[in-house]
Amino acid sequence: MPSDGVMVDATIGQGGHSLLLGKTLGPEAVIVGLDIDTNAVRRAQINLKELSCKVILIHSNFSQVSEQLHQKGIEKVDLILADLGVSSAQLADSEFGLSFQTNMPLDMRIDKRLKHTAADIVNKTDEKSLADLIYGYGQDRASRRIARFIVRRREIEPITTTGQLAEIVCKAFGKTQRGRRSRIHPATRTFQALRIAVNDELENLRKLLVSAPDLLRKNGYIAVISFHSLEDRLVKSDFRQNEKSGIYKIVTKKPIVPTPEEIEENRRARSAKLRIAQKQ
Ligand SMILES: C[S@@+](CC[C@H](N)C(=O)[O-])C[C@H]1O[C@@H](n2cnc3c(N)ncnc32)[C@H](O)[C@@H]1O
C-alpha cells in the first residue's frame, strides 16, 4: 500500500490492525474504519489518535462500504482489510450475550439496531427450521437432536440466557461420543449458527466481496481473515471467480494460517485463515 494511499479497515475493532499499518503511512494517507459496534468505534478513535494519517471512523456495516465511501467523496481505495467475526472484548461483554462459558442474556446482536436477538430465534422458530439453521450455519450433525431439546425446554420456560442454552445443548449430547470426547465445547457450533443468523454474517460478507472490485484501484489489495469454513469458502470462491474473469490475481494460493507460537499466544486465532487478492 502506498504511503499516501487510502485503506478501508472494514472491521476496525479496537484498531489493532489499523494502528500497525497506519504507522507505516504518511500524513497524506487515509484510513476509513467501519464497525457495527459503537463501543469499538469509540475505542478505535482513542487507540488511533497517535497516527499522523487521516482517520475516518464510521458506525456502519461493511455491507454498506460503497455508500459510506461515496458519502465521504472517496471513489477508489488501495486496500480493503476485513478481520471477520467478533473480538475477545465482545465475547467477554455480557451486553452482546455471545458466550457459552459465562451466563449472559441470550442476545448476540453486535449491532444493537438489529431487531431480532438469538433468544427470539431460539424461542420462536419451529423445530425443523431451527434444526436446519443449526446444521446450515453450525454444521452440527446433531442439529435435529439439539432442536428437539430446545423445543422441549421452551415448552416449560422461555430460553433467555446463554447458560440455559449451553446446558440444553450439553444435555442433547448427553453421553454421545462428541459429548465425551470432542475438544470443542458441545455448544460451540450451535452458538456459531445463531450468531451468524442474528447478524446475517454471510450475506454481509457477500455484499462486501461484491463491492470490492469496483472500489479497488488497479494493483490494490483485498485481504480477508475468516474464522470458519463457511466464510472461508465464500472468500475463496469469490477470489477464484474474479481471477477467472481477470479482475483479481490471487496472492495467497493457500490461505495464510497462524504459527503454533501465535496460537499459543492467542488460542482464538487457531482457526484464522488469511486470503489476499490483488486487483488487476
Ligand atoms: C475480530 S474483530 C476485529 C479486530 C480488529 N482487526 C483489531 O485489530 O482490533 C471483528 C470486528 O468486526 C466487527 N464486525 C463484524 N461484522 C461486521 C460487519 N458486517 N460490518 C462492520 N463490522 C463488523 C465486530 O464488531 C468486531 O469489532
Side-chain angles (χ1 to χ4, degrees):
M1 149 128 181
S3 67
D4 62 349
V6 180
M7 158 184 161
V8 175
D9 186 340
T11 53
I12 193 84
Q14 311 261 335
H17 288 157
S18 279
L19 186 62
L20 274 178
L21 285 165
K23 283 180 180 163
T24 67
L25 303 175
E28 302 298 310
V30 181
I31 296 177
V32 181
L34 308 178
D35 208 291
I36 43 176
D37 171 8
T38 43
N39 291 335
V41 173
R42 228 173 286 133
R43 271 195 300 267
Q45 196 106 47
I46 298 166
N47 294 343
L48 300 177
K49 253 191 188 143
E50 63 183 85
L51 293 180
S52 57
C53 65
K54 185 171 175 188
V55 177
I56 303 171
L57 298 175
I58 311 169
H59 177 218
S60 167
N61 198 300
F62 56 55
S63 60
Q64 308 276 308
V65 62
S66 301
E67 294 87 329
Q68 293 294 351
L69 290 175
H70 190 71
Q71 275 180 25
K72 302 287 171 197
I74 299 170
E75 297 303 330
K76 295 284 174 194
V77 306
D78 301 277
L79 171 65
I80 297 174
L81 173 66
D83 177 14
L84 302 172
V86 293
S87 65
S88 304
Q90 289 166 335
L91 269 178
D93 187 341
S94 63
E95 186 194 329
F96 295 104
L98 291 163
S99 173
F100 48 75
Q101 316 274 16
T102 318
N103 196 23
M104 314 173 163
L106 184 59
D107 189 319
M108 297 199 186
R109 289 169 306 156
I110 309 300
D111 189 336
K112 296 302 176 195
R113 294 172 295 194
L114 291 172
K115 283 207 187 85
H116 301 296
T117 65
D120 292 331
I121 295 180
V122 159
N123 288 296
K124 292 178 188 160
T125 309
D126 68 81
E127 186 176 325
K128 181 177 179 306
S129 307
L130 200 53
D132 289 348
L133 185 153
I134 295 169
Y135 187 73
Y137 291 157
Q139 297 162 303
D140 199 319
R141 276 179 289 158
S143 57
R144 301 217 171 280
R145 198 174 155 77
I146 297 169
R148 199 180 335 129
F149 271 64
I150 289 175
V151 169
R152 252 193 236 160
R153 171 65 77 89
R154 76 186 191 197
E155 282 164 3
I156 303 167
E157 56 174 359
I159 302 161
T160 56
T161 66
T162 59
Q164 264 177 306
L165 181 62
E167 183 211 313
I168 295 164
V169 179
C170 286
K171 281 205 174 126
F173 276 105
K175 294 193 172 59
T176 59
Q177 210 176 42
R178 199 171 110 215
R180 272 179 284 147
R181 290 215 318 222
S182 174
R183 280 188 303 151
I184 63 164
H185 187 287
T188 307
R189 295 179 201 277
T190 301
F191 273 63
Q192 172 188 303
L194 285 168
R195 203 195 76 202
I196 292 175
V198 167
N199 296 291
D200 209 4
E201 292 183 10
L202 299 179
E203 188 51 29
N204 291 329
L205 175 57
R206 230 175 256 126
K207 286 183 181 159
L208 174 71
L209 293 170
V210 167
S211 304
D214 274 348
L215 293 174
L216 286 169
R217 226 189 285 283
K218 186 173 161 56
N219 296 331
Y221 292 95
I222 172 163
V224 183
I225 304 171
S226 63
F227 287 86
H228 55 75
S229 57
L230 296 172
E231 287 171 345
D232 185 54
R233 216 179 293 153
L234 274 182
V235 178
K236 185 172 151 185
S237 99
D238 176 84
F239 284 9
R240 281 207 178 144
Q241 261 174 6
N242 277 315
E243 189 170 59
K244 262 195 204 148
S245 329
I247 294 169
Y248 285 164
K249 181 176 187 309
I250 295 175
V251 178
T252 47
K253 292 292 169 213
K254 289 233 163 87
I256 298 171
V257 295
T259 61
E261 292 74 34
E262 280 168 325
I263 296 173
E264 183 80 28
E265 213 171 281
N266 174 14
R267 245 187 78 70
R268 288 197 57 231
R270 67 191 184 283
S271 44
K273 284 191 175 145
L274 167 63
R275 292 188 188 270
I276 305 171
Q278 186 179 35
K279 173 84 184 287
Q280 299 304 288

